[in-house]
Amino acid sequence: MKTSKKKVENEARRDFLKQSSVLSALVLSPGKAVKDPEWEEKVAAPFEKVSLKLEINGIKHNLTVEPRTTLLDLLREQLHLTGTKKGCDFGQCGACTVHSDGQRINSCLTLAVTEDGKKITTIEGISKGDDLHPMQEAFIKHDGFQCGYCTPGQIMSGIACIREGHADTEDEIREYMSGNICRCGAYPNIVDAIMEVKKGGQTV
Amino acid sequence: MKNKDEMIGGRMSRVDAVLKVTGQATYFAEYEVPNLTYGVLVPSTITKGRIKNLDTKKAESAPGVLAVITHLNAPKVPAYEAQEPSKTSSGRGPGMMAFHTDEIHFNGQPIAMVVADTFERATFAASLVKADYQEEKHQTELKANLAQGKVPKTNKSLQDYQRGEKDAYKNAPVKLEEEYVLPTEVHNPMELHGILAHWEAADKITVYAKTQGVKMTQQVIADTFKLPKENVQVHSQFVGGAFGMSLRVWPHEIATILAAKKVNRPVKLVITRNEMFTIAGYRPHTHQKVGIGATKDGKIVGISHWAHVQNSNYEEFTEATVAMTKFMYRIPNVNTTYRIVPLDICSPVPMRGPGEATGAFALESAMDELSYALNVDPIELRLMNYPEKDPERDLPWSSNHVRDAYKMGADKIGWANRSNKPKSKMEDGMWVGYGMATGTFGAHRRPATARACLNADGTLLIQSAASDIGPGTGTAVVQIAAEVMGIPASKIRFELGESKLPDAPIQGGSATVASVGSAVHDACLELRQKLVELSGNALKNAKAETLVYEDGKISSPKDRSASITYTEVLKRNSLPKLEVTKESKLDEDQQKKFAMYSFSVHFVKVHVHPTTGVVKVKHAVALADAGTIVNHKTASSQMMGGAVGGIGMALTEEAIIDHRFGRYVNNNFADYHVPVNADIPDVDVLFVDKKDPYTNPMGSKGLGEIAIIGMAPAIANAVYNATGKRVRELPITPDKLI
Ligand code: FES
Ligand code: FES
């Protein structure tokens, strides 16, 4: 079972590689027809889906996605993991922060296909059942949010901030958390929450 | 035993905190609806004129596209046909009729919506729509059009005002006359705007909206499509910030509803961050002039305040820019003038501290300037002109503890370290400045209804169609119910954000706790009364207010053994539940007897770099005289958030239009700078925390608006104290200081 599945995937991957080189050859070749976006879209249609393996919050997913789908839209629109938020879609706000192999990334700036084989952790994956992650607890205790929309991104960034070793002082936290905008203005409370987790010394 | 943190005045954590930190809170775009499709808007690329030709063929034939909706093929909208887009629900309707005519009112106005089966496909196809226009000359610049200013027809309170002698400041021994400019600022909540529209039948629609009032949205949609109200259902349980932008229904919401009709499937529209600037309102660019004059010993004799406010060309928007000037200080001669300037741009919409935040920048900067002209401490000047009662309406204040707030704030910031001479203090190689300013906003209360339902298991369900855009409405309401009923917060659930629930007003004007909280308070009182009547034991003859309600039981204060649990009452009467629905509102007489206002005072200490002119707020103190503080934890966050917004207003925020094209050039977060974590210092929040005897049963006054009002002038005043440079045009960017 396992092997046959793998085989199918490998074939799919080979197909994709073949197809995509055909496609890029077409796109790269000069000529009016290729520049016509409608035509380009039509050519693209049969090649649209790419297979992709992701482990998300400990669960393995075998997916097919369009190459242009961002990790953020994949999570929100196809997998209904809507805890990860879209605040700008331009890499300017941090609302979409997730961990990829433990590192924080802006999922809106990440094409899903580029994450093939990676382990993704989202806000839905950090608590153990009803036991909240220490960062979640600290955000509640220090009221590190109001509307809650930036919060998943802040929490994922806050955890990474400690892991990176960038949470030794309040000023350092302020600096390394400045990629996550909170329009409700909970910044001082966010700093307090991260500082408390850092001082608590738990592994995050 | 009552848990103090769960009572009024406690520090309970938010009731929805776990949902928010685990990603389980569901915002409008996150509802799973079968057969969902995605809408993407196509913006106009001109600023004024008409659409001559619209080529949608390519988009229509692109993969996955279900329809391209334009003015040429959109289903008819009854209210648009009757030419009454704004009339719906007292001006909260869409105002501009998207997809109804070929007219272009502003750059970026939606001219088409592409609906496709995926977001990616809709986005791509939207790039294929091409338009030809018949372009007309546009006007987007406020300064060049001040002469076009008009007296607003729709808001009587903003017509010219005069008390005493006109322009009396001109004859005062010490006087000044200055202009103050506020740029366009954009709400930019983190959650993008949009709507998910689903026609369940030809005449029945359900929407998931980002709204500050589900009842308002319901009414507007019902009026726009001429449907019975009950055929329109609105869900909006979580709102990712709004700050005023969701106080109306926008044209793109109606457009999405049209699209859903056209494709006969649910359509979701989430607008882009760029579109958050162009099609969903802003705080209007405003030119103000203030003339103020005083005697040599600091008594203000006259003030004049003029405001010219950016507007759209298709409806009137007004806000109380000049209101505070009429009553904040005891001044015998006052006149104000408010003009709206129609331009080819989207309409403004109230933004946190609407009007007052803009007006306070002018008034509180002018007060500071006057204090230097008189060589008195700015707090001293304010105290000398403190009004014992409201000078505008000649009424006593319901409560006014501004003087206490001045004292508390001055102590906290270390005002004693301030020098009255600018540019006289340095610290770590930086100029140091201290500044302060006052803010105010009406303490409003609107009619609201709440349902309180006690279940057989002793849990309490509270329902009201309120919104919670972030302040913590749900938490405050649960505390109010816990206090009145003597039921632990863990057994109380509050349902909000659904149009089917009992009436609640919009969440605007800092009035939700005062309105909805009062309704919950009154409903619980009545529920208690009913329980006493049904108790069937010795207590039933006692007056309800003389009894003790604790731990889910009623007891007599004299004889604690004479007690009965609520569940027992229900059981004895074979009731599965006991329910009360109650409307509550401010008694109108009370309103005529007192001037009801919240007040804030902001203090800041800034550092200014001597060569680069970079301003850094080092410490901020935000104080509120907002009556009883229902929840200190959430209220403190709300004040802090306002202070953060004020720092943005003062130092970085400015939406810039290239007037040659009438188009924004910085409509994204990389170029329009909202404060980030590194911009924000320690913010100390202090409350006077004295109950207002008249506003509502809790004695609270609103907090959301005053949190920002006065912060920007406090910073401008501190920058002057540091550098001797008076910046009268926000934001205070380094170029203005070097
Ligand atoms: S949504 Fe990704 S950074 Fe804003
Ligand atoms: S909590 Fe609202 S944006 Fe951060």
Side-chain angles (χ1 to χ4, degrees), chain B residues 596-670:
Chain B
M596 300 182 179
Y597 290 95
S598 289
F599 300 96
S600 62
V601 186
H602 288 97
F603 282 85
V604 293
K605 177 186 175 186
V606 298
H607 274 182
V608 183
H609 194 282
T611 39
T612 64
V614 170
V615 178
K616 173 93 185 137
V617 179
K618 293 300 286 181
H619 184 196
V621 182
L623 294 106
D625 165 15
T628 302
I629 299 304
V630 176
N631 184 318
H632 279 261
K633 192 173 192 166
T634 55
S636 171
S637 294
Q638 210 178 348
M639 283 302 286
M640 190 179 276
V644 171
I647 290 174
M649 211 176 158
L651 301 179
T652 56
E653 292 185 41
E654 177 179 23
I656 299 165
I657 292 175
D658 181 337
H659 297 297
R660 292 171 302 168
F661 307 105
R663 190 181 302 165
Y664 282 107
V665 292
N666 64 340
N667 48 338
N668 62 76
F669 278 144

Side-chain angles (χ1 to χ4, degrees), chain B residues 418-452:
Chain B
R418 172 186 177 273
S419 160
N420 218 21
K421 198 167 147 280
K423 216 172 172 176
S424 57
K425 265 185 156 2
M426 278 207 124
E427 204 173 84
D428 308 330
M430 304 279 184
W431 291 116
V432 181
Y434 291 85
M436 57 82 60
T438 320
T440 183
F441 200 83
H444 303 298
R445 173 174 168 193
R446 306 193 182 95
T449 306
R451 183 182 299 130

Side-chain angles (χ1 to χ4, degrees), chain A residues 105-198:
Chain A
I105 58 165
N106 284 337
S107 61
C108 74
L109 280 191
T110 308
L111 292 173
V113 289
T114 64
E115 294 297 290
D116 194 21
K118 303 240 173 90
K119 286 194 173 74
I120 305 296
T121 310
T122 71
I123 189 73
E124 289 93 345
I126 59 168
S127 54
K128 295 199 178 67
D130 283 346
D131 286 341
L132 297 182
H133 185 281
M135 193 62 80
Q136 292 172 313
E137 295 279 11
F139 264 68
I140 295 178
K141 180 173 162 201
H142 293 279
D143 210 32
F145 52 92
Q146 287 193 54
C147 75
Y149 198 79
C150 73
T151 314
Q154 302 278 1
I155 290 176
M156 298 312 284
S157 238
I159 294 170
C161 192
I162 294 181
R163 284 190 195 153
E164 294 159 9
H166 289 144
D168 287 333
T169 65
E170 288 192 359
D171 275 344
E172 202 180 18
I173 295 173
R174 287 190 179 116
E175 198 60 38
Y176 282 90
M177 286 300 291
S178 280
N180 289 79
I181 298 175
C182 174
R183 189 57 160 161
C184 295
Y187 298 129
N189 294 347
I190 292 169
V191 173
D192 289 350
I194 297 172
M195 202 74 220
E196 176 172 294
V197 177
K198 163 77 190 175

Side-chain angles (χ1 to χ4, degrees), chain B residues 3-14:
Chain B
N3 175 346
K4 264 201 166 159
D5 275 339
E6 294 180 356
M7 299 296 114
I8 294 174
R11 292 188 51 82
M12 181 172 118
S13 292
R14 289 168 196 269

